[in-house]
Amino acid sequence: MEKMPTTNKKLIDWVNKMARLCGPERIVWIDGSEEQKLALEKESVANGDLIRLNQEKLPGCFLHRTAHDDVARTEHLTFICTKKKKDAGPNNNWMRPQAAYQKAKKIFKSSMSGRTMYVIPFSMGPVGSPFSKIGVELTDSRYVVLNMLIMTRCGNAVLGQLEKNDNFTKCLHSKAKLDINNRLILHFPEDNTIWSVGSGYGGNVLLGKKCLSLRIASFQAKKEKWMAEHMLIMGIEEPNGHVEYIAAAFPSACGKTNLAMLVPPEGLKKKGYRIWTLGDDISWMRVDSDGSLWAVNPETGFFGVAPGTNSKTNPNMVETIRKNTIYTNVLLKPDNTVWWEGADGDAPAQGIDWKGNPWKPNTTDSEGKIIKGAHPNARFTAPIVNCPSASFRLEQHHGVPISAIIFGGRREHVAPLIYQSFNWQHGVFVGATMGSELTAAQVGKLGQVRRDPMAMLPFCGYNMAEYFKHWLNMGKLMAKPPKIFHVNWFRTDKAGKFLWPGFCENLRILEWILDRCNNKVNAMETPIGYIPYPFDIDMTGLKLSENAMDSLLKVNKEEWLEETKGINKFFAMFKKDLPKELTDELEALMERLKGYGQ
Ligand code: OXD
Ligand code: MN
């Protein structure tokens, strides 16, 4: 065995023990240096893990292809392993820790034979910040190492922290045989441990991301009285130069990444607005000594969905991914650049598709279905600092103060464009009941609502009824809690056409939100919360069809009464663990609706 670059006994013992289990040929410690990264890229290209892209057009960029059945997070193979089943809650798959370790050990046994085991010390959050948590990931995948180097702060600076502190999340990953029948993503929150085996897909294997920063961190956050949330963080610089920060949670496919880095529309640009991006996926928030909630993004990169990304939907991301980016499962063009459905420009006349096969537009498979060039969940991994709107406060140890929390979903009807909760407790109810209608891309009945509280259903590492209690308690710890809002960019007219243009125009709604936070405008009280007076939304340079704003802001009594039935059904899954405050809020909503004229 090589000499260990640390004196931390707990770390050394654990690395040795895991090496005995997995049987790698050698162990390499990731130091965070440019030389080591370049060497790993070179090796990955040599063994076919990565394809080096056109270095003139896409400097520092690579393409990776996953196994065909390893293209997304596998929720049915993801488990929370707590001693008591109840602690995982009805929202998680559960396994007894001993049984889970035994089952996974059989797959890990000698899985790294003939391979290198990389040791990646990483910090989620700025190194040394009181907000941050340290993890160490052991992996036999160079692709994982190169992605972790983009997504987290890793290397010797983190090892330095571990000279003073024994507290780190033990993360073990092996590709093993990339076999879906021998794939497990296991979380042991009581042991501060994550074991992932049999997959090479980002969400399953970049263990700092969903596994540590949401599932394990949410469990720790409850104990330590802070919040680990599935939220973007952005700053909005007002015309007077003052920057206000917001955090927002949306289920997938609702435009979270696009919102995090929007470019102000022409009409508002004149006013001098500017957006500062801190993160597009995860927010860790703590109450600071001023009684406000402060947030950091624990990550340093974006792991975003490529299809649909273009200069109209997200011009800043198009800039971000021009260099030092790893593309996964996109189409390779003959000039060694990349393409995906919904990219700028026309489809190329030919290319190599995400499976590595020759591809031409509009070719069909044996069932007559169009073969896509890129997988619908094709991704890019890119450093936040590449983003033209990257915030200058990314490294600040205390983060940024949050003025507003925004929840959102995809609803054709029911939810208006924007409403504000009455107070923190009501805001928790709004977040706990948010949901999206299923689209054609998902399995299930079209239009059926899938509840996804705070967009955390797949990521909350413990019983969600306890998570709701935690949210309620956090409100009590803050002298100045953020105001809570709900948005819906997806409301449609009778013909099924979107009433609101979305994308950069969403800034108009953020402007109203900040005006509410700063007590600059009044609002109309409705049974569901406060909604804007239409004249308080700045529509300079944007013309909607007639009556569209009225339809966008309408609160329909019948639809909402129906909604309360769905909420009731959803709440039932938590049985008597559901905090009484939430049933009280539901009853109060029903009462207010009953007395509401149309
Ligand atoms: C993600 C997700 O990849 O939420 O960020 O699934
Ligand atoms: Mn996410």
Side-chain angles (χ1 to χ4, degrees):
M1 291 284 166
E2 289 170 33
K3 188 174 166 321
M4 304 270 182
T6 176
T7 60
N8 185 318
K9 186 161 177 335
K10 179 173 147 190
L11 175 57
I12 294 172
D13 288 350
W14 172 68
V15 171
N16 283 336
K17 190 168 167 199
M18 294 304 106
R20 281 195 296 277
L21 171 64
C22 301
E25 196 171 277
R26 56 188 195 129
I27 298 176
V28 169
W29 289 69
I30 298 303
D31 59 17
S33 69
E34 191 61 18
E35 299 79 348
Q36 193 182 42
K37 183 181 107 172
L38 293 175
L40 284 166
E41 287 172 352
K42 221 166 151 186
E43 285 170 34
S44 303
V45 170
N47 80 356
D49 271 352
L50 292 182
I51 295 169
R52 198 182 294 276
L53 293 169
N54 184 323
Q55 294 300 293
E56 252 166 52
K57 295 182 180 164
L58 294 170
C61 294
F62 296 87
L63 167 65
H64 171 76
R65 297 191 187 109
T66 65
H68 302 174
D69 62 359
D70 192 20
V71 290
R73 284 184 291 105
T74 37
E75 284 174 24
H76 67 293
L77 302 173
T78 300
F79 291 82
I80 300 294
C81 309
T82 43
K83 287 191 199 93
K84 292 196 208 119
K85 182 166 193 228
K86 191 166 183 262
D87 292 340
N91 45 299
N92 281 305
N93 299 318
W94 174 80
M95 238 193 275
R96 216 179 284 286
Q98 260 344 82
Y101 282 126
Q102 284 312 324
K103 197 166 172 185
K105 260 188 195 162
K106 290 195 187 122
I107 315 174
F108 274 115
K109 180 107 197 90
S110 305
S111 62
M112 297 187 188
S113 136
R115 298 180 186 169
T116 302
M117 180 169 96
Y118 297 96
V119 184
I120 316 170
F122 63 94
S123 172
M124 300 314 298
V127 179
S129 155
F131 272 76
S132 302
K133 296 280 179 196
I134 291 180
V136 181
E137 177 161 355
L138 310 179
T139 180
D140 54 1
S141 161
R142 282 188 201 88
Y143 170 77
V144 166
V145 176
L146 291 169
N147 274 271
M148 288 291 282
L149 284 168
I150 297 174
M151 296 303 294
T152 73
R153 297 150 174 101
C154 24
N156 287 346
V158 182
L159 272 189
Q161 293 292 311
L162 284 175
E163 291 297 318
K164 316 177 232 174
N165 178 359
D166 245 2
N167 213 349
F168 66 94
T169 306
K170 301 188 275 306
C171 306
L172 176 64
H173 165 252
S174 171
K175 298 183 281 188
K177 296 200 171 78
L178 291 175
D179 171 10
I180 191 161
N181 298 313
N182 281 299
R183 182 174 299 163
L184 287 169
I185 323 296
L186 306 173
H187 305 74
F188 304 89
E190 290 150 351
D191 301 344
N192 202 4
T193 295
I194 303 162
W195 279 18
S196 164
V197 67
S199 172
Y201 171 75
N204 290 336
V205 301
L206 307 179
L207 300 183
K209 193 174 181 58
K210 303 298 188 183
C211 301
L212 192 161
S213 291
L214 290 176
R215 298 197 188 94
I216 294 288
S218 61
F219 176 91
Q220 294 174 336
K222 164 128 169 66
K223 278 215 267 187
E224 298 164 9
K225 297 193 174 56
W226 54 282
M227 305 170 88
E229 299 298 329
H230 191 199
M231 290 181 181
L232 65 83
I233 313 170
M234 68 196 281
I236 300 155
E237 184 174 325
E238 296 173 338
N240 64 8
H242 175 67
V243 188
E244 297 242 8
Y245 295 90
I246 61 170
F250 299 89
S252 51
C254 289
K256 195 153 125 241
T257 302
N258 297 344
L259 184 67
M261 55 192 76
L262 69 75
V263 173
E266 280 309 319
L268 291 195
K269 218 183 261 166
K270 284 199 216 93
K271 279 176 146 179
Y273 275 106
R274 184 164 180 182
I275 299 303
W276 296 103
T277 306
L278 284 110
D280 76 330
D281 200 35
I282 297 173
S283 173
W284 283 1
M285 302 189 284
R286 278 172 206 268
V287 184
D288 216 322
S289 47
D290 65 348
S292 314
L293 197 59
W294 288 65
V296 296
N297 172 12
E299 302 185 289
T300 51
F302 304 119
F303 181 63
V305 177
T309 304
N310 60 51
S311 0
K312 176 162 185 299
T313 58
N314 197 337
N316 275 335
M317 191 57 98
V318 170
E319 282 305 313
T320 304
I321 59 182
R322 281 190 202 286
K323 60 177 185 190
N324 302 334
T325 296
I326 301 174
Y327 292 91
T328 302
N329 290 342
V330 297
L331 177 110
L332 179 64
K333 295 205 311 192
D335 67 348
N336 255 359
T337 61
V338 290
W339 182 85
W340 46 82
E341 281 70 16
D344 283 323
D346 295 331
Q350 57 178 317
I352 309 286
D353 71 12
W354 70 274
K355 289 185 173 169
N357 297 323
W359 179 93
K360 280 192 167 53
N362 301 320
T363 36
T364 50
D365 65 13
S366 56
E367 288 162 18
K369 275 209 265 159
I370 296 263
I371 298 174
K372 297 218 153 102
H375 186 276
N377 193 33
R379 298 275 175 155
F380 45 73
T381 319
I384 297 182
V385 290
N386 281 5
C387 183
S389 61
S391 167
F392 51 92
R393 295 179 84 171
L394 283 169
E395 289 300 324
Q396 291 205 357
H397 280 203
H398 283 243
V400 295
I402 298 296
S403 303
I405 289 176
I406 305 175
F407 296 120
R410 177 184 278 270
R411 304 296 298 266
E412 286 187 15
H413 309 289
V414 191
L417 177 60
I418 165 80
Y419 64 99
Q420 180 188 354
S421 66
F422 294 120
N423 50 46
W424 181 268
Q425 176 173 307
H426 179 232
V428 175
F429 171 80
V430 170
T433 56
M434 70 187 243
S436 271
E437 279 145 15
L438 297 184
T439 64
Q442 289 151 318
V443 186
K445 215 171 104 213
L446 223 64
Q448 187 185 323
V449 179
R450 178 154 68 186
R451 305 267 160 213
D452 186 356
M454 285 83 170
M456 279 290 278
L457 194 63
F459 306 117
C460 180
Y462 61 105
N463 190 330
M464 215 151 195
E466 294 300 316
Y467 170 79
F468 297 146
K469 276 180 212 158
H470 178 51
W471 263 82
L472 292 164
N473 287 337
M474 287 301 298
K476 293 178 196 140
L477 297 180
M478 283 179 266
K480 289 179 273 173
K483 305 260 192 298
I484 301 181
F485 298 80
H486 186 282
V487 298
N488 174 25
W489 316 130
F490 301 94
R491 206 154 179 177
T492 54
D493 63 13
K494 286 202 183 79
K497 234 177 110 232
F498 289 125
L499 284 159
W500 180 250
F503 299 111
C504 63
E505 308 296 347
N506 294 338
L507 180 58
R508 299 172 194 278
I509 305 307
L510 300 185
E511 187 183 30
W512 183 80
I513 288 174
L514 293 184
D515 282 348
R516 287 295 292 166
C517 292
N518 294 313
N519 299 318
K520 285 198 193 151
V521 290
N522 289 324
M524 272 184 285
E525 189 169 336
T526 77
I528 64 164
Y530 298 112
I531 61 169
Y533 289 107
F535 51 78
D536 280 329
I537 297 179
D538 187 339
M539 295 295 281
T540 312
L542 173 65
K543 193 150 176 43
L544 297 185
S545 57
E546 221 174 38
N547 301 330
M549 193 45 93
D550 290 343
S551 307
L552 279 162
L553 295 177
K554 191 168 170 58
V555 177
N556 181 307
K557 175 174 174 171
E558 297 313 317
E559 283 177 1
W560 273 93
L561 280 170
E562 202 50 40
E563 179 77 357
T564 58
K565 290 188 201 157
I567 294 173
N568 208 5
K569 218 162 129 194
F570 174 68
F571 277 174
M573 95 188 222
F574 301 104
K575 305 207 173 96
K576 56 179 188 357
D577 295 330
L578 190 79
K580 182 173 172 318
E581 288 89 334
L582 294 188
T583 27
D584 288 350
E585 285 294 337
L586 179 58
E587 275 164 28
L589 170 62
M590 283 157 76
E591 274 311 304
R592 291 193 298 267
L593 284 167
K594 279 185 203 144
Y596 187 55
Q598 282 294 328

